[in-house]
Amino acid sequence: WFEQCPMQVNLLYYNNLFPVFLNSIFDSNEAEEGGGMYFRNINTGTSLHLVEFVNNTATIEGGAVVFSSTHFGSTIYNSNFTNNRVTQGRGGAASISTDNGNGVLMSNNMIYFYSCNFIENVALDGGALYISDGNVVDFVSCKLNDNTATTGRGGAIALNYLNTIGVDTCELNNNIAATSGGSIDAAESNTISMTDVLIINNTCQTV
């Protein structure tokens, strides 16, 4: 149980590790990036199973977690992201980027979310998730409900460029964006596939 840790986990992982977290709780932690966890340059991937991220806060990105240039099949199973927030930036629950931390874009992240819930997360852009350039991200049997992009785009998910996104048997309900994309907002050159997705009562305040 990680609670009220005033640092970046708090947990910062990088290079050729394979971090695995099982039955863990990250509650009310704070950092500039990745309020609960920050993964960078994990060439072997990561695994999170039955992990709860609750009430974590970041200033810049990733209220609960940042995946920065993490490759080769990082997988998050049966985990919940609830009431996390970013006060001045993007990705209320999670920020996913190919930036290696030095401004260099690496090869694609491949990240898979199975049976995860993203509920009541808040950021300026990407209320639940902000997905930057050149990522492969799949959501299967996930709920992304009641998230808010307070001043920007993508109430649930904001996509930048050249991402490949799969959404299968998911819910995106009651999300709110200030400018565009009540549920999902995609910039140019993204590929999005959806199968059996329920999208209800999402709101874009202005266009």
Side-chain angles (χ1 to χ4, degrees), residues 46-197:
T46 63
S47 178
L48 282 68
H49 187 199
L50 295 170
V51 179
E52 301 280 338
F53 294 94
V54 183
N55 301 322
N56 299 287
T57 303
T59 305
I60 298 172
E61 65 176 339
V65 60
V66 171
F67 296 95
S68 180
S69 196
T70 59
H71 319 304
F72 303 116
S74 295
T75 306
I76 298 89
Y77 300 95
N78 298 311
S79 295
N80 297 314
F81 300 78
T82 307
N83 197 35
N84 303 285
R85 64 184 53 241
V86 176
T87 58
Q88 300 177 28
R90 61 196 194 183
S95 178
I96 299 172
S97 171
T98 53
D99 190 332
N100 72 348
N102 297 312
V104 177
L105 297 182
M106 307 297 285
S107 59
N108 293 354
N109 284 323
M110 293 182 288
I111 299 181
Y112 308 95
F113 293 96
Y114 295 103
S115 298
C116 293
N117 298 313
F118 298 84
I119 310 296
E120 295 184 348
N121 302 286
V122 178
L124 275 60
D125 286 297
L129 297 105
Y130 186 94
I131 302 174
S132 190
D133 302 332
N135 299 279
V136 178
V137 184
D138 284 343
F139 300 90
V140 178
S141 299
C142 294
K143 295 181 180 180
L144 297 94
N145 298 336
D146 302 297
N147 303 286
T148 303
T150 56
T151 63
R153 61 191 185 93
I157 302 172
L159 303 173
N160 212 25
Y161 299 99
L162 298 173
N163 297 290
T164 301
I165 308 300
V167 186
D168 186 355
T169 320
C170 292
E171 296 181 7
L172 294 94
N173 300 331
N174 305 313
N175 300 289
I176 300 172
T179 59
S180 59
S183 59
I184 299 176
D185 185 274
E188 297 176 3
S189 302
N190 287 286
T191 300
I192 304 174
S193 62
M194 291 189 175
T195 305
D196 296 328
V197 179

